[in-house]
Amino acid sequence: MDDRKKTILKAIVDDYVRTCEPVGSKSLVERYNLNYSSATIRNEMAELEEMGFLVKPHTSAGRMPSDKGYRAYVDNLLSLPEIPPEEEIAVRHFLTENLREAREMIERTAEYLAEKTNYLSVVLSPQYSDTSLEQIKIMMIEPGRAIVVLVLSPGVVHDRLIRIPSLIDEKDLNEIGQAIERCLAGKRLNDITLVTISSAAEETELPEALVNQVLYEAYVAIKQTERIEVYIDGKYRLLKHPEFRDVDRASRFYDTMRQEQMVAGYMRELEQEEEINAAEGLDTLEKIESAPGALATRKDRPAYMVRIGQEIALNGMEDMSFITTTYRIGRRISGQIGVIGPKRMEYGNIISQISFVNKALSDVAEDHYTLGGDRQTLED
Amino acid sequence: MDDRKKTILKAIVDDYVRTCEPVGSKSLVERYNLNYSSATIRNEMAELEEMGFLVKPHTSAGRMPSDKGYRAYVDNLLSLPEIPPEEEIAVRHFLTENLREAREMIERTAEYLAEKTNYLSVVLSPQYSDTSLEQIKIMMIEPGRAIVVLVLSPGVVHDRLIRIPSLIDEKDLNEIGQAIERCLAGKRLNDITLVTISSAAEETELPEALVNQVLYEAYVAIKQTERIEVYIDGKYRLLKHPEFRDVDRASRFYDTMRQEQMVAGYMRELEQEEEINAAEGLDTLEKIESAPGALATRKDRPAYMVRIGQEIALNGMEDMSFITTTYRIGRRISGQIGVIGPKRMEYGNIISQISFVNKALSDVAEDHYTLGGDRQTLED
DNA sequence: AATTAGCACTCGAAGTGCTCGAGTGCCAGA
DNA sequence: TCTGGCACTCGAGCACTTCGAGTGCTAATT
C-alpha cells in the first residue's frame, strides 16, 4: 500500500468517524484538500475497496471503512494527540481526593475515563493472587458471628463477615486468629489452600470441629480477595451515539455487558496477546505525513490493544470496538482498563486517554501503596 | 362517574397498556364484549374525554388515557393479581441464599423486582438513624492506618478504613476504642454528635491531640452508617419498551437516574404522603365487577404509592410512573422500594409484585436480624 | 329517555411516482 | 499517470393517492 492510499484511507476513516456518513470522492478532495482530482481518488478508492479496506452500502453511495480498514488505520495511520500536562495534576487529584479505600481509586478511574471519552469504560480490580497475606484478624461481633479482616502485602485491606460456632468465645477466636496468622503470614495467596490453612489447627488445643469451621470460613474469606471486581461506567453514554438508534442492537449489547464476569474474563484473556501485539506494532509502525509524532510518542505509552468489530469474541459487539490496556502497580499487581465504543470511534483520542489514565492510575496507586499511611497529604 | 363509565375506562386502560395504541370504540366492544353498540361507547368516550380522563392524539384516532385517567384507574379500578404461594418460598430463598451481609439482601431485592416486573427497580438501604450503636472496635492495620468496625443494634455491621496519627500504637488504639465504646454504646445514632463523642477523650490519659483525631475519624465512620445506599437494577430493561424508542427522551431519563442520591431523596420525601394516601385509598375504594377481590386483598398488603407522569417531581420522568412502598424491619428500621416504568404500565401486576417483595424482604430481614447468628440454616 | 344504525368526515399509515443530487465506473485525451 | 467528462445508480425527499380505523352527529328505534 503506497503513501497516497494511506493518506486517502486515513482521510476516509477520519471523515467517517466525524460524520457517520459514507464519504464520497468529491467531498473528500474538498475537505482534506488533497492534490488530486476526484476521479483519481475514485480510482484509488475502488482499489482500496478491492483490497478489502472499504465497503459501500450500495452501488451509488460513498465508502465507509470495513473492519479491515479500521484495523489498518489503528495499526499504521493513527495520530495520538498529546494530553496537556496540567491534566495530569487534575487526574491525580481526582483519583485520590478524600480517598479511603483502594476500590474507590478503581471506581474513579472508570468514572474519569467514561467522562473523558464519552464511551463506556471498564476497569478491573487488581489480581492479588501473586501478592502475599500480611495480617489476618478475626473479631467477634456476637456469639456465632465474626468479621475477618485481611491485610495484603501492598497494604490492601479486605474484610468479610463470617458465621462461627456459637460455642466459641472471644478468647478462643483470638487464639485461632493468631494461629492462622502465624501459619499463613507472608504466604502468597496463590499458595494458600485448604491444606495449608488446616495446619493452623495443630497450633491450638481447642476441639478440632470448632476450629475447622472457622478455618474454612477464613479460607473462603481469603479466596474471596482474589475475586476480580468489575467497575463499569458510562453505560448509558453509548445511547447518545447514532449507532445506538437501533434499540434491538443496543439491547443485545447491554445483555452482554450485564454479564460483567464474562467481560472481565475476556479482558484478562487478552492480556497476554496484548504484550505480543504491542511489540509487533512497534516494528511495523510507519510514520506518514499526516500523523507526525505518532511513532515517537508511542514508545512512551503503556501497551494497549485494540479489538475491532468481529474480532471481539463477545455477543452483540459486532459493531463495537474494544480498547484495553493493563495497569501495573509494582511488579506483581496488575489489572485491566478498557473502553468500549462504536467501531466508528476516535481511536487516536481514546488510545491517548486510556494510556494516560493507565499511567496515572499506576503511578498514583504505587505512591499510595508504598508510602502507605504516611501520605496524609493525599487525604484532602 | 357511573359504573358503565368505569368499566369502559378500565377496558381502555387495560387495552392501551397491552398494545400501546390508541383504542377505538369498535375494537373495544369486540375485545371486551361489552353489551353496548360502538355508538354508545363512542358517546361515553366523548364524555370521559370531556371529563379529562382520556385524550386523543388527533381527531380521527382512538383514545388513550390521560394522567388523570391513569390516576382514576389506579385509585379505583385496579385488580391486583394474587401471587402464587410457592413464589413466596422462592423469593425467600433467593434473598437469603449464601447471604453474608445485609446489603446483599437489598441488592437482591432490587434484582428480583427488576426481573419480575421487567422495569427498573430502586431499593434504598434502611435508615439506621433511629437505631443504636452496639459495639465499636478499632483495629490497627499498620502505623497510621486502622479499621473501624461498628455493630448496630439490629446486628448490622459496618466498617471503614481510617487514618490515625502514626505515633499511636496498638495498645493506645485499643484503649481509645474501648473508651469510645463505653461512652457511646447503646446511644441512638441520631444522638451521637462530635460533642458526645469527645467526652470519650476524658476517659483516657493519652495526649488530647492524638485522641481527638481518632475520635473525629470514628465519628465520621459512625455518621457514614447513616448514609443511604441506593440499589438500582433493570436500567437497561426499559430500553425494550416502545416508549424508549425516542433516544433523546431515554437519555434525559437516564441522566436523571444517574443522580441516585436525588432519586433516593425524592423517595424518602414521599414516605409520609404514602401513609396518608393509603389510608384514604381504603376509604374511597369501590369494588367493580371486573375487579373482584380487589378490596378484600388490598387490606393485607403493605401501603404503596403511585406517582404518575407529571406528578413525579424529577426531570425526564414525564412519561413514567413511579410506584413506591416502605419496608419495615421491626419498628425502627425502614427503607424504600420502588419500581419505575412507563406510564403505560401494568399497574395491578406491579403493585402486587412490589407489595409481595416488600413483605418478603421485611419478613426475611426481621428473621435474620432478630435471630442473628443462630440461623445457620439460612446459609445454604 | 336511552340506545343504535347510518353516514359524512378526518387523518395517519403506507404505497406510488417523481425529481434531485451526490455518488459511482469508465473512457478518451492531456 | 492523471483528469475531464459522461452515463448511470440509488436513496432522500416530496407530492399525491388510497385505505381503513377512527370520529361526531342525526334520526330512527326500543
Side-chain angles (χ1 to χ4, degrees), chain A residues 93-108:
Chain A
H93 191 252
F94 181 80
L95 291 182
T96 54
E97 193 191 6
N98 290 323
L99 187 72
R100 295 277 156 178
E101 323 214 356
R103 55 190 295 279
E104 290 180 53
M105 207 145 64
I106 310 286
E107 222 171 322
R108 290 182 195 178

Side-chain angles (χ1 to χ4, degrees), chain A residues 109 113 121-124 267 322-327 335-339 354 357-359 361:
Chain A
T109 303
L113 204 51
S121 65
V122 197
V123 184
L124 308 190
M267 286 174 76
F322 199 161
I323 303 185
T324 53
T325 183
T326 299
Y327 65 88
Q336 271 67 41
I337 305 179
V339 170
I354 203 175
V357 166
N358 181 342
K359 196 156 177 312
L361 174 62

Side-chain angles (χ1 to χ4, degrees), chain A residues 100 135 141 145 155 159 217, chain B residues 100 135 141 155 159 217:
Chain A
R100 295 277 156 178
Q135 298 177 44
I141 285 172
R145 287 172 84 204
D159 59 51
E217 292 278 350
Chain B
R100 295 277 157 179
Q135 297 178 47
I141 286 171
D159 58 52
E217 292 277 350

Side-chain angles (χ1 to χ4, degrees), chain B residues 181-201:
Chain B
E181 187 164 294
R182 274 196 302 278
C183 161
L184 295 184
K187 278 220 164 51
R188 286 167 65 242
L189 295 187
N190 248 342
D191 297 336
I192 298 176
T193 63
L194 266 178
V195 177
T196 47
I197 203 173
S198 60
S199 63

